[in-house]
Amino acid sequence: MEAPAVASPYSKDLLLTMYRKMYLIRRFEERAGQQYTLGKIAGFCHLYIGQEAVAVGPVEAIRQDDYMLSAYRDHGQPLARGSDAGMVMAELFGRGTGYSKGKGGSMHIFDIEHHFYGGYGIVGGQIPLAAGMAFASRYRNEDRVTVCYFGDAAANQGALHETFNMASKWKLPVIYICENNRYGMGTAIARTAAVPEIYKRAAAYDMRGEPVDGMDALKMYEAVKDAAAWCRAGKGPVLLEANTYRFRGHSMADPANYRTKQEVEDERKNDPIPKLREYTLAQGLAVAADFERIDEEVKAQVDAAVKFADESPEPSVEELWRDTIVEPGEADVRPRERVLGMKVTNWPSYPTGQELKVTWDLEPREQAEAADKKAGLIR
């Protein structure tokens, strides 16, 4: 193999880590679809097949202690962050060994240990929550950022516009990633939005907004890495529109007959997983055997995850009334300790807020006066 003309700015470790995570999500989701068909998974199940780069690129670009939230297509992000695949699959199965004891299911994966604060079934429901988490970061004088995923259809929810206004006004350290897979359930975004380019909406709130190729993990990595630096510098929120494509239906119940087979086949040629593999090989940073080894290890990992979920017990009837209220002083339940007996030593802790003082002006008067003067309200 000839050496590349220009050396890659990425390390072998980073590229293979990103490939492993994308391949894990793909194989996990394929087996989840299979198990749904077999009746092992009930309710809704939204697969992430085709959108893996949108999860993996950002995860590698931010810190492990940064916050992350998602919508209900939420298996990919926690797997990319390091959640246990068996416990995620068990949650899909509704088993007691899942992250939420089987009570959250496919749409509500939640892993505090890895700073993944949930998938949300209400369209756009996570958007204001992300602003709240970013507000808390700034109030605590942390330099954490919050990454919030939402779908293209959620861009038309009123909560988005209210939140963007607040996030921009208060310069909150939050990165909003719109996963524009072109269809809100079965309706093309261009049929429902006067301005289908979601990133353009940021301009209305004096907010940075950019489109990104969501089918390229490295482009997602670079965009989020730069956005995170922007947020940590106190410059305010960022809206990234990740243009991506789901290869399967909106959910397992969706036959996806609103698009042609040819369209899907054409989009599959832009699959982010072989794209990253081909790039790494072309750069001479890995050989085919490296990827073959990863593929076999991931397949075994997913097989073990399905076996673990299938052999796990269903939650007892008494569990229905547990974990509904947190009593004062009650300790957090650490899922991997509860299920796997692993000692979790890096459990997140946060100041109460009682000992903190606000060190920034929430609504700077100078800015408001300048705006009034520009608008001709002050002479």
Side-chain angles (χ1 to χ4, degrees), residues 71-72 120-128 150-160 185 250:
Y72 45 75
Y120 293 84
I122 300 299
V123 176
Q126 72 279 18
I127 294 172
F150 63 92
D152 48 274
N156 290 332
Q157 291 283 15
L160 177 140
M185 295 187 72
H250 170 72

Side-chain angles (χ1 to χ4, degrees), residues 234-377:
K235 296 181 180 180
V238 179
L239 170 62
L240 298 176
E241 180 180 0
N243 292 296
T244 185
Y245 195 86
R246 53 174 165 78
F247 296 157
R248 302 286 290 271
H250 170 72
S251 71
M252 285 298 297
D254 174 20
N257 53 16
Y258 43 82
R259 58 188 187 182
T260 66
K261 290 183 179 179
Q262 187 61 50
E263 176 185 311
V264 178
E265 288 305 310
D266 288 344
E267 294 294 337
R268 283 186 177 275
K269 296 174 184 177
N270 200 29
D271 193 319
I273 298 176
K275 180 185 294 186
L276 182 63
R277 174 176 175 149
E278 291 164 8
Y279 171 84
T280 307
L281 290 171
Q283 292 293 319
L285 294 172
V287 296
D290 292 320
F291 293 99
E292 292 168 3
R293 173 181 52 81
I294 291 173
D295 292 355
E296 291 304 313
E297 290 173 355
V298 167
K299 289 176 184 176
Q301 181 182 1
V302 175
D303 285 344
V306 174
K307 185 175 185 292
F308 173 81
D310 201 29
E311 294 177 353
S312 293
E314 294 185 354
S316 66
V317 175
E318 289 75 18
E319 280 295 340
L320 183 64
W321 307 108
R322 292 179 183 153
D323 304 318
T324 56
I325 297 175
V326 178
E327 299 293 344
E330 182 179 348
D332 284 329
V333 176
R334 304 182 180 188
R336 290 204 302 162
E337 286 189 359
R338 172 178 61 84
V339 176
L340 305 177
M342 301 177 65
K343 184 63 177 177
V344 176
T345 59
N346 61 339
W347 192 259
S349 62
Y350 309 102
T352 63
Q354 298 301 315
E355 70 276 23
L356 298 175
K357 293 182 180 180
V358 177
T359 59
W360 48 286
D361 193 348
L362 188 63
E363 296 178 350
R365 181 169 298 177
E366 294 80 4
Q367 180 185 3
E369 290 176 347
D372 286 347
K373 188 173 182 179
K374 186 176 181 180
L377 300 177

Side-chain angles (χ1 to χ4, degrees), residues 47-236:
L47 302 182
Y48 207 66
I49 295 174
Q51 300 182 208
E52 294 88 353
V54 187
V56 172
V59 164
E60 294 306 306
I62 62 175
R63 297 199 317 240
Q64 291 183 343
D65 64 341
D66 287 327
Y67 305 131
M68 184 171 284
L69 305 87
S70 182
Y72 45 75
R73 196 181 305 279
D74 65 340
H75 311 159
Q77 291 93 350
L79 288 173
R81 294 224 86 176
S83 297
D84 184 85
M87 291 177 63
V88 175
M89 188 67 78
E91 190 62 39
L92 270 62
F93 274 50
R95 302 302 172 90
T97 54
Y99 269 95
S100 299
K101 302 181 181 180
K103 295 185 282 188
S106 171
M107 296 194 291
H108 303 289
I109 307 298
F110 204 98
D111 181 6
I112 294 177
E113 180 188 351
H114 293 96
H115 297 280
F116 183 76
Y117 289 86
Y120 293 84
I122 300 299
V123 176
Q126 72 279 18
I127 294 172
L129 295 180
M133 297 182 77
F135 182 92
S137 290
R138 192 167 183 199
Y139 187 82
R140 294 169 178 149
N141 298 313
E142 300 172 336
D143 66 343
R144 286 170 165 158
V145 302
T146 297
V147 175
C148 177
Y149 290 88
F150 63 92
D152 48 274
N156 290 332
Q157 291 283 15
L160 177 140
H161 302 279
E162 297 169 4
T163 302
F164 279 13
N165 181 64
M166 296 167 67
S168 184
K169 176 64 178 175
W170 295 339
K171 301 296 182 186
L172 300 183
V174 55
I175 303 170
Y176 285 105
I177 300 179
C178 176
E179 299 192 82
N180 188 348
N181 59 28
R182 292 166 46 182
Y183 295 95
M185 295 187 72
T187 305
I189 183 66
R191 297 181 61 190
T192 61
V195 180
E197 300 92 343
I198 306 300
Y199 76 94
K200 291 183 178 179
R201 304 186 185 190
Y205 305 100
D206 193 25
M207 181 175 167
R208 177 178 166 185
E210 299 169 2
V212 190
D213 183 356
M215 303 301 280
D216 190 315
L218 294 177
K219 289 180 180 176
M220 288 300 308
Y221 171 83
E222 291 293 348
V224 173
K225 184 179 179 182
D226 186 66
W230 173 279
C231 288
R232 293 192 215 281
K235 296 181 180 180

